[in-house]
Amino acid sequence: VTSASKSGDAASSLLEPLLDVDEIQGNVLAGFRKDHQVLVALEIREVAAAQAWLASFVHEIANTREVMHFNDGFRALKARRGADPLGFHSVWINVAFSAEGLRKLTSDAEVEAIPDEAFRIGLLKRSALLRDPTDETAEGSPANWKVGGPGEVPDVLLIVAGDDTRLLGDTIDRISPSPDQGQPRIIWSEQGDTRSDMPGHEHFGFRDGLSQPGVRGLISQMPDRFLTQRRIDPLDARAAGFSSPGQPLIPPGHFVLGYPILGQDGELAPAPALAHDWFRDGSFLVFRRLRQEVKAFRKFLETEASRLRGVAGFGAMTAELLATMFVGRWPHGAPLMRTSEDDEAMGGNNWANNNFLFDQPSPAVPPSDGTAPDHFPPSPGDQFGRICPHAAHIRKVNPRDEDTEFGNLKQTLVRRILRRGIPFGKSLPDPALEGDNGERGLHFLCYQASIALQFESITRDWANETLTPKPGGHDPIIGQSGSAQLRARTLDLPGPSGEVETINIHTEWVIPTGGGYFFTPSLSAIRTRLCGIRS
Amino acid sequence: MNINQFDPPGTIDDLEGNAALAQAWSAELSGFFDGAVALLDAFFAENAGGTPQFYNPVTNGIVATDTLLPITWNGFPKRFKKHITTDYAGAEQKDPAVGQFREQDEYLEWFAVRDAHGKIKSVQFTCEGPDYWDFLARHNPAKAVELYRKYIDPGVDKADLFLASGGYNIVNKWNTASGAMHLSHPSNFLQAEVRLASDATVRRHDANGVEPPDSKSLIDCAKFGDPSRNSDPKIGFDVNGLARQGFMITLANPVGLYIASFKDDGLTLPDGTAASGCFNILRGKLPLGLRAEFRLPGAAEAKGLTVSDVSIGGKPIEFGGQLAELITMSLTGAACKAGSVNNPLQPCGAIGAEAIAHAVAVSTPSLGGKPELRSRRTGAKK
């Protein structure tokens, strides 16, 4: 072996490191992608009993290899048969721990050594920073949260997901701690389900979960076994930085600890030092229970669209178009940057629905399978936010090619998160039924290597702000305004001829009702450091 | 944009209605614009030819509808951030020496006023250009002294602010070791802002003939600023985006660099109550803030509390930089006549013989052996 090939190997392992898919929990990089998912929050009462309880099912915790292979098989069967494969089921278990939980299972000193201060401090004390209501009479105040409020911060969060509710229920029954014997106490539990009437859509009616980051790395020693499939013609220059159009490749160290990252100037950098060796292959998890006030959302859209139709330049406004301008995508997923109508074919085309930029015109990108680039109209440049408002949700939380207040695309890449949310509650018919209790929303879950730099920065610096990443107002979907502004939100809505109309929103339709910050350890870390099992 | 004269930054009333002084300031700023455009003319003549897309709205105003483009960036220096860690101590230089500029180069500088125990009593923030203050001190020294006494220390003596030669000392002790009256970093001059905006209107091509697709590649090519800052690449790329659409471009009046917003949520006192109302704009007005202070209200100070007792999201404040990173800065570009210019792409390379920061900085003999700051009046201005 020559020194040149050694250095080539080193460079290649920095760019595409081998991921320990047997150690990393399955929901982090592969994603469970199940129709049903139960979250169980627990309090550790006696450490030894908690360790024994964890040890009783640690061998059942799903790793990345298993989940990835199942998802690949499911996808292949579905593609060939044209429908979900019957009987192809699994139940997955993942487990995560809050800082308080880790303090109980390890030590104060070990938790204090963790550099992510947001994790150490916890969501409850960071909530005001995210502009959650601080007025205790408000539903969104932590004082009223269903999980994670004062005195009820979970130590452990179990995620159990499955295709079949009966098998899922059996698994939960089997691994649930006994109410006595000092085992952990269940302090909250709730099931989330994909919408049976609109699979893949959240409760406001928009397709969700599109545009995830492309995580770099190999899943085996084979040189082309990438975690994220490469779909761009390798002869095209963009193949070096993107797995598919709109899906930039990001070093895995931004999602899982112990892997290379992008340095401050966007250069590839070795893995940062770990607080503890047992943190390797772990990932930080943010959970937010977000209740969606669908009735209020619909009512605002109808009322505001009606008002706008009387404003010069906005005569064609509809509730659906206004909602689309709030989101940045049409209900079926087609990006507003590419079409002025709810083009279902584009929305359902996983190449086309993510093939767009905001600032610059989007060039045609050739696929690696030799097929033609998608035939839909490309997205033009939109520096002024005249096609897709700067405040639109997808433009706020992922500004793509736009420079932000922190720098260029590289500074946006280091803020990306892996979203694993699932709706909860039943769909609300339109018109709504009498007596509806409004209990529906999203179990928002996301994984990252730094809660402060990723989830919190996206929320604090972009969704909640009017001037950043580009001036244009609050994110009208998840953005929150401060108490000094009486929680009122504003955004600039562009008209077809360059007019700008300010939209004032005095209603909140995404309300935080619980959550927490957690750490998702590797499987061996759970076994050896947290359960105390000798290997 | 077509205006009769430039207003002082933030339309601040330091010139107290003196029309001659107002005109003199406008002429000073106008000179920055004319100098920048002259450099563009020379650059085009030496390269692929073209028409400057940057213009002086006073001497060569364009009567047309303007599209305003607010450009924003974070106020905390990017180079003190490394992945998830931030070197707040390094950014603050707890004991800046007289004659040294602060290493705070995002057009926002701050000074933490500490008590004998090191606790922070207040944090001063400023984004006022040194060249404006040089002008004020030259033309109305009494006003400059008055403002220093009001915002920095009642004991400020006029002699403290001026060099033996009679010139205003930008890095005098009240603007370095004892406070922050205005910006001091050589990259933080108003003339630098004008030059940066002007230079960034030039469309470029790289070695492959391709127009640089992002801010980093553009600034690496055009060398109009420091790529390690939040501000320069962002301002440059946003302005260049206007140039690509064929606009004629200038800076909106009043020309300045401004504190546009402050994130004041999640700041708490030890008893858990919100530390609200602590951040106040003292000069200018949001989103055109020129000077701000973070200080606890009198009632909290009367209880013996200090800024060091405030936590941000559960983390106690130890450095002023923790507050600086909550500040969003801005300037506003004004563009008109879209599609009216279609210049050939120009090769990479800086415009003008000297880097912008060195070309505009003012002479400061008290710098001693530090990198020489050149006189704006005797420097590279053409």
Side-chain angles (χ1 to χ4, degrees), chain A residues 22 38 85 128 224 278 424-425 454 462 472 505:
Chain A
D22 296 314
V38 176
D224 59 348
W278 62 268
F424 69 86
Q454 294 171 267
W462 294 344
I505 305 172

Side-chain angles (χ1 to χ4, degrees), chain A residues 117 126 131 383 403 408 461, chain B residues 215 238 245 265 313 315:
Chain A
E117 68 195 22
R126 303 287 280 187
R131 291 198 177 149
Q383 188 182 17
D403 268 39
N408 67 0
D461 297 320
Chain B
S215 59
D238 279 3
Q245 297 173 64
D265 295 272
K315 182 176 182 179

Side-chain angles (χ1 to χ4, degrees), chain A residues 497-512:
Chain A
S497 307
E499 314 89 334
V500 174
E501 178 70 6
T502 300
I503 306 292
N504 294 297
I505 305 172
H506 297 281
T507 311
E508 294 180 89
W509 38 67
V510 174
I511 299 149

Side-chain angles (χ1 to χ4, degrees), chain A residues 117 121 126 128-129 131 261 264 360 383-384 403-406 408 450 460-461 465 467 470-471 482, chain B residues 67 72-74 78 81 83-84 215-216 230 234 238 241-242 244-245 260 263 265-266 313 315 326:
Chain A
E117 68 195 22
I121 293 168
R126 303 287 280 187
L129 207 59
R131 291 198 177 149
I261 59 169
Q264 190 57 32
Q360 301 291 312
Q383 188 182 17
F384 294 113
D403 268 39
T404 74
E405 75 273 33
F406 301 114
N408 67 0
S450 165
R460 294 176 61 203
D461 297 320
E465 286 296 305
L467 297 175
K470 291 277 174 143
Chain B
T67 299
T72 53
W73 64 94
N74 188 263
K78 184 178 177 183
K81 284 189 168 287
H83 189 40
I84 63 169
S215 59
K216 174 77 164 53
N230 294 317
K234 174 78 186 309
D238 279 3
L242 297 173
R244 292 178 195 210
Q245 297 173 64
K263 299 183 186 85
D265 295 272
K315 182 176 182 179
L326 303 179

Side-chain angles (χ1 to χ4, degrees), chain A residues 7 21 85 103 124 130 143 161 185 219 254 277 366 400 460 467:
Chain A
S7 78
V21 290
R103 279 180 207 281
L124 179 61
L130 305 176
R185 176 178 73 93
I219 56 173
H254 293 288
D277 195 54
R400 295 185 180 234
R460 294 176 61 203
L467 297 175

